[in-house]
Amino acid sequence: MYTQSFLLFVLAILGGYLFSIVHIPLPWTLGPLVMGVIWKTGTNKPVYWPKKIRNIGMVILGFMMGSPFTPAVAHQVLYQLPAMLTITLVLISLCLATGYIVGRYTGVGLANSIIGSIPGGLSQMSIICEETKGTDVSVVTLMQTVRVITVVFTVPLLALHGIADKVSPASRLLSTMSFSELPMLILFAVAILSLIKLAKRLHISNVYVISPVLGTALLVLSGFEAPALPNSVIALAQIFVGIRMGIDVDFGSLSNWKTIALSSLLSVSAVIGILFGIAFIFSQLYSMSLVTAFISMSPGGMSEMGLTAITANADLPTVVSYQLFRLLFVLVVCVPAVRWWLRKNCS
């Protein structure tokens, strides 16, 4: 089992290196993701990659996302709260509308298509399935997986090779860490781990995404300077996350997976296209760059969109703020509302 994991890890490094050579966006995330899919499909056997390792990667990336939150940035974020709410409502409405259409024309079921289209996490959507009659976890997981992969591949490609004025390495904010920064790094680590522990006790979802970002941001806002991490550590964190994303893809469990995957691909692509137009309007209204607005609105993961923002020289705090606000809104407002609606109309 551990030998298999080691071989997968080596292949993931190779995938990331190859993707970086051919200048594919987010090479150290997408390369391992693709290798994970190939490994799982080629061996046709269960693949072992511990979630704990993935979580370590998420904590590291969360630390990186929270480090730019200075008081000036926080003030700017508060100013944009109405815009965040508007964009979140528009995005969720678009996703639910396309999900409704997919459910009506593919036969996968309205409950499955609605839950599968919510721009939230895979784990949260599977929990809703367990609590909602008439749902199929395999269908929802496949739809969510297609959504995430489509966004993770499409948005960086458009942002970096379509609308970004300048592209930098994904590690432009990070270099090397001196020994003198070690005590400060320990302080941040203790704060993040404590916040994760507290969030678990409160049964908060996505603790390994939200807690590192909030913990780091709160310390930075309090006057502590977040130390820089070595580039190799950031790349390793992306590999940890990318491998898990790849092996979570499961096409073989459904006989009609091609229909579900294609319909999900088309619906997500339509949402991305519409958001691009809305991003242009918002970039004019709020004096932000088009690439910042587009990445901020995209229904992808916060870590992937944050890395895309760094590479595209977008405003990282703005992107993370929009993504974090959407995630919290989905978990606190959207999920309970959808669960109530489905119980009322699909029971």
Side-chain angles (χ1 to χ4, degrees):
M1 180 172 62
Y2 292 106
T3 301
Q4 183 190 65
S5 298
F6 177 75
L7 291 175
L8 178 58
F9 178 65
V10 173
L11 286 175
I13 295 176
L14 177 61
Y17 177 71
L18 292 175
F19 273 43
S20 65
I21 290 178
V22 297
H23 304 290
I24 292 179
L26 305 184
W28 297 105
T29 298
L30 299 183
L33 186 156
V34 171
M35 286 299 182
V37 173
I38 294 174
W39 177 274
K40 183 175 181 178
T41 305
T43 59
N44 198 26
K45 295 179 180 179
V47 183
Y48 180 71
W49 187 255
K51 287 186 177 181
K52 289 183 178 180
I53 296 181
R54 187 275 312 272
N55 293 339
I56 292 174
M58 294 303 302
V59 169
I60 294 173
L61 296 178
F63 169 82
M64 183 181 68
M65 299 304 136
S67 59
F69 277 88
T70 62
V73 169
H75 183 269
Q76 181 66 19
V77 167
L78 289 176
Y79 169 74
Q80 294 193 36
L81 276 179
M84 291 182 187
L85 178 60
T86 301
I87 287 301
T88 298
L89 292 174
V90 169
L91 172 58
I92 292 176
S93 299
L94 286 173
C95 291
L96 293 179
T98 55
Y100 180 86
I101 295 173
V102 169
R104 288 299 185 188
Y105 289 94
T106 62
V108 299
L110 184 59
N112 287 325
S113 61
I114 291 294
I115 298 175
S117 301
I118 296 176
L122 284 171
S123 58
Q124 282 68 49
M125 298 308 105
S126 63
I127 293 175
I128 298 179
C129 287
E130 296 174 0
E131 300 175 348
T132 307
K133 294 182 180 180
T135 57
D136 187 329
V137 175
S138 298
V139 173
V140 171
T141 300
L142 178 57
M143 292 184 66
Q144 288 286 341
T145 300
V146 171
R147 177 185 64 81
V148 171
I149 293 178
T150 302
V151 173
V152 168
F153 271 91
T154 304
V155 171
L157 187 65
L158 290 174
L160 301 181
H161 300 295
I163 57 178
D165 296 327
K166 181 181 178 183
V167 177
S168 302
S171 56
R172 70 176 173 85
L173 294 183
L174 308 156
S175 52
T176 57
M177 184 180 68
S178 65
F179 184 78
S180 61
E181 293 178 302
L182 186 58
M184 187 62 64
L185 181 63
I186 294 175
L187 172 64
F188 275 83
V190 171
I192 291 172
L193 293 176
S194 300
L195 197 57
I196 290 175
K197 187 175 181 180
L198 175 62
K200 285 184 175 180
R201 287 186 176 182
L202 297 176
H203 303 288
I204 296 175
S205 302
N206 285 354
V207 295
Y208 295 103
V209 177
I210 297 176
S211 298
V213 174
L214 290 181
T216 303
L218 289 174
L219 281 178
V220 172
L221 290 173
S222 300
F224 296 95
E225 183 176 354
L229 294 179
N231 299 332
S232 57
V233 174
I234 301 301
L236 191 63
Q238 294 177 66
I239 292 172
F240 289 168
V241 175
I243 291 175
R244 186 72 199 191
M245 291 176 65
I247 67 173
D248 280 343
V249 176
D250 186 8
F251 296 126
S253 61
L254 296 168
S255 58
N256 59 338
W257 68 266
K258 292 182 180 179
T259 301
I260 299 173
L262 179 60
S263 60
S264 298
L265 174 63
L266 293 175
S267 64
V268 174
S269 299
V271 170
I272 292 174
I274 295 172
L275 286 176
F276 186 86
I278 297 175
F280 177 79
I281 297 174
F282 262 73
S283 67
Q284 303 300 313
L285 294 176
Y286 287 90
S287 300
M288 68 173 70
S289 66
L290 176 58
V291 66
T292 296
F294 179 54
I295 300 173
S296 298
M297 298 177 185
S298 299
M302 184 162 56
S303 58
E304 291 81 15
M305 295 303 99
L307 289 168
T308 303
I310 293 174
T311 310
N313 284 276
D315 188 342
L316 178 60
T318 298
V319 170
V320 174
S321 298
Y322 272 75
Q323 292 286 335
L324 182 59
F325 183 87
R326 174 178 58 81
L327 178 61
L328 293 174
F329 188 89
V330 166
L331 295 177
V332 176
V333 179
C334 179
V335 167
V338 168
R339 184 187 294 125
W340 172 83
W341 187 86
L342 289 175
R343 286 175 178 172
K344 182 179 179 181
N345 293 273
C346 300
S347 59

